[in-house]
Amino acid sequence: MSTVVIEKVPVYEREEVKRGMRRLLSPLGGMAAFVKPGETVLLKPNLLAAKRPEQAVTTHPEVLRAVTELVLEAGGIPLVGDSPGVGGLARVAEKSGLAAVARETGAKLVEFEDPVELPNAGLFKRIALARPYLEADRVINLPKLKTHGMMTMTCAVKNLFGAVVGPEKAAWHLRAGEDRALFARILLEIYLLRKPELNIVDAIVAMEGDGPGSGDPRQVGLLLAGVNPVAVDVVAAHLLGIPDRLLFLEHAARKMGIDGAAIDGVTVLGCPVAEARIAGFKLPPTSDVQWGLPRFLARRIRNLVTSYPVPDADLCERCGICRDACPPGIIEMDGKTLHIDYGKCIRCFCCRELCPKGAMGVKEGLILRIIKKFI
């Protein structure tokens, strides 16, 4: 049985977060169970983009501070690294408040670069991950609990996708195409290549709705922790009330026989699940029904049975980030107008995820809208 701990922490007040972090890790043996003196400990937050802490896009600096201080107490050498979706690490860390925490605690910011290609026994035979991620003695994964347009939810397993260096992320999205089960398989194989020693979820303020970059902050008041990120994700999804049909990663994990992929295989400690559940959590509008249609037919009627990105001309500033981030390269700018080739769009919603102004909307196809009324 995998173990996940839930702890109530209502606000990002420094001492309260630190005390809550100690309570959270106590049933797991405390930080000393994961970090030994002299070990390098890579702290892997969610640093999607250069956003302020209160926007709930990135891991909150007080969560990073509490974990960093506990690592130092255990004698570890803390490093902070990620590969942001847009913008360099230094800029994103500065805007999100994490750079200040690194300076104040003595943690070192490390760029995720120099990809190392690893042989893989799974479906994908070679996967390249950042050298600092692979060479750290310990990895502590620090995801932010958020909705996600393509995968419904991003938490512990999805946060490890940040170990893929820069442009390689787009290549994996392109390879997966519209197949969410295939993308879930990619995420799980990345996790299995280099398992984090510990996963701590920042869910004090989560993101609902149009996540992971343009949703609404939602007060949740929780921290979660566990060794198995799949089990952590299963518990998080259970607390948010996400329907099983939309948990693409969990479905893939069950097919792969990965431990912790079902809620009845997880032991939950700390705050009782009944007290921690969050009612009315808004899911992303891009959580399509999975149709089971033959792929050749789905391609022909894709605009009727799926959601797809639509630019908002009033909000769009024509910065070109969506165009440059698009895995299949099917967004063009003509003067003040964005053009999307929907025949080649893979519905990964990277454009929507990375738009700094929330200017990429979503439209649901007619058949999708009709079917959703009956499910």
Side-chain angles (χ1 to χ4, degrees):
M1 296 283 285
S2 297
T3 298
V4 175
V5 185
I6 305 172
E7 183 62 42
K8 286 189 175 182
V9 180
V11 294
Y12 289 115
E13 194 277 322
R14 185 166 302 176
E15 290 306 314
E16 188 152 2
V17 174
K18 182 78 170 288
R19 290 192 296 270
M21 194 67 69
R22 289 189 190 279
R23 296 193 303 270
L24 178 76
L25 297 183
S26 179
L28 301 174
M31 187 62 78
F34 302 96
V35 177
K36 304 305 178 190
E39 290 182 330
T40 56
V41 183
L42 178 69
L43 307 180
K44 166 61 182 76
N46 183 316
L47 284 175
L48 175 66
K51 300 287 187 177
R52 301 184 307 277
E54 61 270 21
Q55 293 176 279
V57 173
T58 56
T59 304
H60 197 277
E62 291 305 327
V63 171
L64 177 67
R65 184 189 302 276
V67 175
T68 302
E69 290 178 352
L70 292 180
V71 167
L72 289 167
E73 288 181 13
I77 302 168
L79 312 172
V80 180
D82 194 12
S83 177
V86 58
L89 175 66
R91 177 173 177 269
V92 174
E94 196 66 50
K95 186 70 176 286
S96 64
L98 272 64
V101 170
R103 288 192 294 269
E104 292 163 12
T105 60
K108 180 183 178 182
L109 283 177
V110 292
E111 296 276 358
F112 273 14
E113 52 191 7
D114 190 13
V116 178
E117 195 171 73
L118 303 172
N120 181 43
L123 181 63
F124 306 95
K125 299 309 178 186
R126 304 193 73 82
I127 297 176
L129 301 179
R131 186 177 295 277
Y133 177 79
L134 296 172
E135 293 187 346
D137 294 319
R138 306 283 177 174
V139 172
I140 298 180
N141 187 23
L142 300 176
K144 184 79 166 178
L145 181 58
K146 300 185 290 183
T147 50
H148 190 276
M150 185 180 185
M151 301 305 292
T152 306
M153 183 186 78
T154 173
C155 194
V157 175
K158 177 64 172 64
N159 196 49
L160 299 176
F161 193 52
V164 176
V165 178
E168 289 294 318
K169 292 189 181 74
W172 282 116
H173 273 292
L174 185 58
R175 188 166 181 180
E178 297 170 78
D179 191 337
R180 292 174 177 178
L182 185 61
F183 190 60
R185 178 81 185 226
I186 292 170
L187 298 176
L188 289 163
E189 292 194 7
I190 288 171
Y191 148 59
L192 292 173
L193 271 177
R194 201 304 180 201
K195 297 179 180 180
E197 276 67 35
L198 179 62
N199 305 271
I200 300 173
V201 181
D202 173 10
I204 297 175
V205 175
M207 176 180 283
E208 65 180 358
D210 193 10
S214 301
D216 301 314
R218 172 70 184 269
Q219 178 67 31
V220 171
L222 298 173
L223 293 173
L224 287 76
V227 172
N228 183 340
V230 176
V232 169
D233 283 5
V234 164
V235 172
H238 188 67
L239 295 179
L240 301 183
I242 299 176
D244 185 72
R245 71 177 187 277
L246 299 179
L247 296 176
F248 311 110
L249 190 133
E250 286 74 5
H251 280 275
R254 289 174 208 155
K255 288 182 179 179
M256 294 170 68
I258 296 176
D259 290 341
I263 192 66
D264 56 4
V266 180
T267 298
V268 179
L269 303 177
C271 177
V273 170
E275 293 182 20
R277 283 199 181 99
I278 305 301
F281 199 83
K282 298 176 183 176
L283 299 184
T286 48
S287 294
D288 298 341
V289 176
Q290 295 298 285
W291 302 98
L293 294 174
R295 296 193 72 178
F296 79 91
L297 180 58
R299 288 194 191 100
R300 293 178 183 272
I301 60 172
R302 67 174 69 193
N303 286 347
L304 295 175
V305 299
T306 68
S307 300
Y308 48 94
V310 178
D312 185 326
D314 294 330
L315 295 177
C316 179
E317 294 186 351
R318 286 82 184 171
C319 64
I321 288 176
C322 63
R323 175 197 60 198
D324 298 340
C326 178
I330 50 84
I331 299 178
E332 296 182 355
M333 287 194 294
D334 177 13
K336 295 184 178 182
T337 305
L338 285 181
H339 298 283
I340 300 175
D341 184 346
Y342 291 110
K344 297 178 180 178
C345 176
I346 63 174
R347 273 63 170 178
C348 66
F349 296 97
C350 288
C351 55
R352 185 168 166 80
E353 179 175 337
L354 299 178
C355 177
K357 299 298 179 181
M360 191 64 73
V362 61
K363 185 173 182 179
E364 293 181 338
L366 175 61
I367 295 176
L368 175 60
R369 293 198 305 271
I370 294 172
I371 294 297
K372 277 190 170 183
K373 292 180 180 179
F374 299 96
I375 61 173

